[in-house]
Amino acid sequence: MLKSLQAIETYREEGRLPGEGCLWLEYIVQAEQTIVNLERVESLGELEQQSPVLDYVERSLRVLDSLPLSYWIRELAEETLIWSETAKGGTIRQRRSWQEEGINIFVHNIGSAQLYLRYAEDDREDAASADKRLIVHRLIETHGLIGQQIRGEVPPSVNLPLSGLVEQGLLTADELERLLFALNHCIISAVAPELWQEVRPQVMELIVVISSGNLHDEVPMKERLRRMRSGSIAQGEDYETEWSGLVQEGFNPAVLEPLQPVTFWYVESALQTFSLEQFLKVVSLSASSDLSALNHISFEAVMNSIYYDYKGSKKINVYKKRIIEKYLSELDWTEIYSGEQPSGNPHLLHRLLRKEHLPDTLFFNFEFSPAAEKLIEFCIEAEKSALYERAVLLLFDLFDLRRDAFDRFHNEDTYLSQMNDTADYKAVILDYVTGRKVLDIGPGGGVLLDLIEQRMPDVIPVGIDISSNVIEALRQRKQREDHRWEVLQGDALNLKDYVEAGTVDTVIFSSILHELYSYVPLDGKKFNHGTVAAALTSAFGVLADGGVIIIRDGIMSEPEDQQRRVRFLEDDGMAWLERYAKDFAGRSIRYEQLGFREVLMPVNDAMEFLYTYTWGEEAYIHEVQEQFGYFTPAQYAAFIEQTLGDQAKIEVFRHYLQEGYTEALQDRVVVMDESGQAAALPDSTCFIVIRKAG
């Protein structure tokens, strides 16, 4: 067994350091800060109970211990591995002292090499020992850079010091190949064995090039950035098309070329979930700084702030992510290239920092105001309580987020999946689609776009959504699954800004008008029938003569003065109603308590509550903000006539109870008429087809 592994086992079993010669282990186990790439971490909470750097070093050494290597290669590799993570160790006081001495603890391969050289320096050593020390120092200094070159994070030139080992006669080309193979096998397998199997051919190819001294020419920044987006591209990002589109919008790739010699740290971990546009804006902001003598850009602060534990698993801090997305969306390219700090929301700024003792390293971060940080912390803590919806509403107001654009946080993936599960209901819509060009307003997970594409090959389906997150997810799925439908980010109230008037044959509002009614203020007022009118007028304006508007949405019951008795079968049912009546802003929810678990309510108040009650706690924050039914059938028909005029003809108008509500509620409530007789749930949903005469 390797001596270093024996030292680690002694420490783990006896809780003590094994004596002299283990300063590397002392530094690692004294770590008072968790410094680790969070890309493959499953739970941040578990890191508090672990020593992730020591665990990683031990895994890499166990791989080394299993490899058939010569004594010389094994000795060099072991010395390299035990020191390569030391800059992540040390007490906080020690790290502060290192930093003041000019040791770059933020670029761990450089910092670890500096620590090794300082520790290993010995005036009495012979020439062979000096050569060994120089080799190990250089291997630590280039630790992990082959993998980073594959990921685009470093330019090929960073590996020149390795080729120099052969040129200086310190190693033969064959020794360097065997040594680099062993080190990279250990380094990458310690991250994940399957990752080593995946990248092994590329690693071997680079090792041969490095050992021969024939390093590749510099890789263009566009290609390096493509490699940094490999995860997003695997998810369906159309890198080439989106890049070209951004160039047309004002993105200037030439601005990024001065970053060619720079190493990027933690960039994929920090920014992989952002769109390509947002990613390039961040990189362009970095390029707008003073680049003189710059060797490194670190996104470690962004990475550390963008993740947190949610129910025991590492999650993106969606509160911060949504706010950063809005911040970046409001920066135009000219503003970015000017290098001036934007004058937007005072609660968020980006920072480009260079530390006095580390002039070659630029630190990028997004800085939230103390008030915003506290509010985000409050949202995270409030996830566990009934305060959550109020906390999120405060966040919306502080950052002026449109609630129809940013209305879902943790359950967005679930929501899109549930939208896709409604395919059976949405298939009915296809019977009424007319013409060739179809707009699906608020396409959700894209199920209706899929159905149109599959069953109507001559139709061009286009999804329009205000949410950048929905559009990004759909674009990636389109690329990943090779769909022919299109998507546009746009506002349903101003369709003429995105499509030419008179060119659309069908406009579909499938379960979306009630969201516009609930979320989008018109003349300063939400829950506004004027918003529905604006959406219908917008759709009618782009519709060709003979085209149709198809509506599938909530409906209220008539006559409105009907009463329903609701008896709760669950202990917390009454508390749910009390909470809902207090939180719901659409209108006043009235009820009269008849007993411990029974109330008398107007039929439409009862159903509006039961729609939210059906979805459960996870969806409450979103559903309580929406009013599903906003017209009775008679009111809806009159509203359409008044809004769209004589040119609009209602060809289909029917309403029904959507499947699933009866089953979902049967074990939770009993619904009765005023006399206490069991009553069926009233109709929940309407289906309307409006044709434009011509």
Side-chain angles (χ1 to χ4, degrees), residues 88-353:
K88 295 180 180 179
T91 64
I92 292 175
R93 183 176 179 179
Q94 205 167 32
R95 293 176 62 77
R96 191 180 298 119
S97 174
W98 288 344
Q99 188 176 345
E100 290 172 356
E101 294 169 18
I103 292 174
N104 196 335
I105 60 175
F106 300 99
V107 179
H108 72 270
N109 61 317
I110 302 296
S112 296
Q114 291 171 320
L115 287 173
Y116 173 76
L117 198 58
R118 187 179 73 170
Y119 165 73
E121 191 170 3
D122 187 345
D123 294 336
R124 296 168 298 173
E125 67 185 0
D126 56 24
S129 297
D131 286 348
K132 175 189 172 184
R133 183 163 55 85
L134 181 58
I135 293 169
V136 172
H137 172 264
R138 200 163 295 180
L139 290 170
I140 297 171
E141 195 174 45
T142 55
H143 172 75
L145 295 186
I146 288 178
Q148 286 181 267
Q149 184 177 339
I150 292 171
R151 290 162 62 100
E153 294 165 342
V154 301
S157 57
V158 297
N159 286 310
L160 280 170
L162 292 173
S163 300
L165 291 173
V166 177
E167 294 171 4
Q168 293 172 253
L170 295 169
L171 292 172
T172 67
D174 179 64
E175 285 176 325
L176 181 59
E177 277 192 36
R178 287 186 285 120
L179 184 53
L180 291 179
F181 175 82
L183 282 172
N184 281 275
H185 189 166
C186 297
I187 292 166
I188 299 173
S189 292
V191 174
E194 63 275 11
L195 179 62
W196 167 247
Q197 295 304 322
E198 178 186 336
V199 302
R200 178 175 174 170
Q202 294 170 277
V203 170
M204 290 302 300
E205 181 182 339
L206 282 175
I207 287 174
V208 171
V209 171
I210 291 168
S211 300
S212 68
N214 298 319
L215 291 177
H216 292 305
D217 294 334
E218 295 296 343
V219 178
M221 279 305 298
K222 182 179 179 181
E223 176 56 30
R224 282 186 62 190
L225 294 170
R226 183 200 303 273
R227 296 178 188 179
M228 295 182 209
R229 299 292 293 176
S230 59
S232 301
I233 291 170
Q235 290 297 313
E237 179 176 280
D238 188 347
Y239 183 85
E240 198 65 42
T241 300
E242 290 187 35
W243 179 285
S244 299
L246 293 171
V247 169
Q248 294 177 358
E249 294 172 12
F251 164 55
N252 181 6
V255 171
L256 303 183
E257 287 306 318
L259 297 177
Q260 181 56 251
V262 172
T263 295
F264 290 74
W265 292 95
Y266 303 105
V267 61
E268 191 162 5
S269 300
L271 302 175
Q272 63 182 336
T273 64
F274 289 90
S275 70
L276 179 61
E277 177 180 359
Q278 293 154 1
F279 172 80
L280 291 176
K281 282 185 174 180
V282 169
V283 177
S284 297
L285 287 169
S286 303
S288 69
S289 67
D290 177 12
L291 301 181
S292 58
L294 183 66
N295 293 324
H296 309 279
I297 300 178
S298 173
F299 296 93
E300 183 179 5
V302 179
M303 176 190 71
N304 287 333
S305 69
I306 207 69
Y307 294 106
Y308 78 113
D309 258 23
Y310 176 68
K311 296 185 177 180
S313 299
K314 182 193 75 176
K315 291 287 186 182
I316 289 289
N317 189 323
V318 286
Y319 312 104
K320 287 189 174 182
K321 182 172 182 284
R322 295 287 187 266
I323 295 162
I324 292 170
E325 287 169 341
K326 181 175 185 289
Y327 176 83
L328 292 172
S329 71
E330 293 174 349
L331 291 179
D332 62 39
W333 294 104
T334 303
E335 190 174 15
I336 290 171
Y337 299 142
S338 72
E340 297 178 3
Q341 188 70 249
S343 57
N345 194 301
H347 296 289
L348 177 63
L349 293 171
H350 70 274
R351 293 294 188 197
L352 301 169
L353 177 66

Side-chain angles (χ1 to χ4, degrees), residues 542-605:
V542 299
L543 211 59
D545 290 345
V548 297
I549 295 174
I550 302 173
I551 300 170
R552 177 182 169 272
D553 212 16
I555 199 73
M556 297 170 71
S557 294
E558 52 189 8
E560 293 183 79
D561 60 0
Q562 296 176 80
Q563 299 284 307
R564 287 290 182 268
R565 293 170 70 165
V566 178
R567 181 184 301 144
F568 293 102
L569 302 178
E570 297 176 317
D571 292 340
D572 63 349
M574 186 65 71
W576 262 84
L577 177 58
E578 292 170 356
R579 175 186 175 192
Y580 180 83
K582 184 178 180 181
D583 293 341
F584 183 62
R587 62 173 186 269
S588 176
I589 298 296
R590 296 169 293 159
Y591 64 92
E592 175 188 351
Q593 190 161 347
L594 302 178
F596 176 59
R597 291 187 177 182
E598 191 168 319
V599 294
L600 181 67
M601 303 180 68
V603 63
N604 288 314
D605 287 355

